[in-house]
Amino acid sequence: MHDSNTDASTLSHVSRGRGRLALLGVFWSFVNIMVSNGLTVVVFLVTSLLLEPADFGAVALATSIVIWVMTLVPLPLGDAIIQRSDLRQAHLDSAFWLTMAIALAAIAVLVFTAPLIASWTSLDVLAVILPVLSLRILFVSLGNIPAALVNRRMEFRHIALRTTLANGLGAAGCLLLVLQGYAIWALIMAQVITAVVGCVVSYWTADWRPGFQLSRAALTDLRGFTLFTMGGRMIEPTKINQILLGIVAGLSCARYFLLRP
């Protein structure tokens, strides 16, 4: 475990064997994709048989809202840390605490507005599931900087381990809950479990803990790359499509509840 005085090997870029690591990265990416896709198929088949369309629509809308709110959190600070050549502990600490401050503010706004969103969409369940699903923002933000350090060191095996464990336990939790009859909560908790496991594995593999070497200059070093990436993610077409799909699905669910016998 490292304290706030992180050693140079943790902060430095990989200087040797980058070609070999890249080839290993391809292998571990293949393993990760195969496992993740396999789990996705199993979860989809089981949940599609046991859950009602209304459940999927409500979760789709809640997820799309959380995804958009997450674009307001400076998670691209992690990307800036990956590419920065002269990384210092002040960069890590400043990026971590800024990310957490904005993430907590975003979560508070989401929790406060959840009843309003539920009223606007005529989906009362959103008032309950949005605050729970906002935990995804918390744990993704907590694990953002250590995950960036693992990526920076090109430790692809650890990256694949993080994703596979997170997706695997999330899928297992989803299947367990849906088979126990918890329906919509299976889909919600799967996302939260995935975020929690990803966060825990990120800290374990990064061997880093946040300190308090806060610096405005350090944030200035990371600002340009971060703002550019955040802007691109906020207007990314796939994000817009997800939001529109979630809104349409959510409103359709409202009609489903009102019209069904």
Side-chain angles (χ1 to χ4, degrees):
M1 179 186 300
H2 293 285
D3 58 19
S4 59
N5 297 315
T6 309
D7 60 37
S9 62
T10 300
L11 301 181
S12 61
H13 275 126
V14 174
S15 58
R16 296 180 180 180
R18 295 173 66 94
R20 181 180 62 85
L21 289 175
L23 289 176
L24 287 175
V26 172
F27 168 76
W28 287 112
S29 295
F30 175 77
V31 172
N32 182 31
I33 290 171
M34 294 300 294
V35 173
S36 297
N37 287 345
L39 291 171
T40 299
V41 170
V42 172
V43 170
F44 175 78
L45 289 176
V46 174
T47 55
S48 62
L49 291 173
L50 299 179
L51 300 183
E52 298 184 0
D55 296 326
F56 283 105
V59 174
L61 179 54
T63 301
S64 64
I65 293 171
V66 169
I67 287 174
W68 187 84
V69 171
M70 206 180 300
T71 64
L72 304 177
V73 180
L75 295 176
L77 281 168
D79 298 330
I81 284 171
I82 293 172
Q83 61 84 39
R84 184 158 187 85
S85 57
D86 58 334
L87 187 65
R88 303 188 305 276
Q89 181 65 32
H91 291 119
L92 302 177
D93 292 347
S94 301
F96 175 84
W97 291 112
L98 178 63
T99 299
M100 291 309 304
I102 296 178
L104 292 174
I107 292 170
V109 170
L110 189 58
V111 171
F112 178 77
T113 59
L116 300 177
I117 297 172
S119 176
W120 177 68
T121 59
S122 300
L123 284 172
D124 294 338
V125 70
L126 290 182
V128 180
I129 65 176
L130 274 175
V132 176
L133 194 55
S134 69
L135 291 174
R136 178 179 172 183
I137 301 175
L138 174 63
F139 288 103
V140 169
S141 301
L142 275 171
N144 186 49
I145 301 305
L149 283 173
V150 174
N151 292 343
R152 178 183 173 88
R153 299 197 296 256
M154 299 180 70
E155 296 176 348
F156 297 111
R157 179 169 62 90
H158 290 159
I159 297 170
L161 174 66
R162 179 183 71 227
T163 307
T164 301
L165 276 179
N167 290 339
L169 292 178
C174 178
L175 293 175
L176 179 62
L177 287 172
V178 76
L179 292 175
Q180 293 297 318
Y182 288 99
I184 195 171
W185 288 109
L187 300 174
I188 297 298
M189 293 309 299
Q191 297 187 49
V192 175
I193 292 171
T194 299
V196 171
V197 175
C199 177
V200 172
V201 176
S202 292
Y203 277 98
W204 175 48
T205 54
D207 199 18
W208 174 84
R209 302 296 181 270
F212 294 95
Q213 296 185 26
L214 307 181
S215 167
R216 180 178 296 181
L219 289 176
T220 301
D221 291 340
L222 305 173
R223 180 180 58 191
F225 186 91
T226 301
L227 292 177
F228 174 79
T229 306
M230 282 185 68
R233 291 184 179 183
M234 291 180 67
I235 62 174
E236 185 178 341
T238 55
K239 294 290 191 298
I240 296 173
N241 292 340
Q242 288 173 343
I243 293 171
L244 293 176
L245 177 61
I247 292 174
V248 172
L251 296 178
S252 297
C253 288
R255 290 193 291 272
Y256 174 84
F257 276 120
L258 293 172
L259 296 177
R260 71 175 182 174

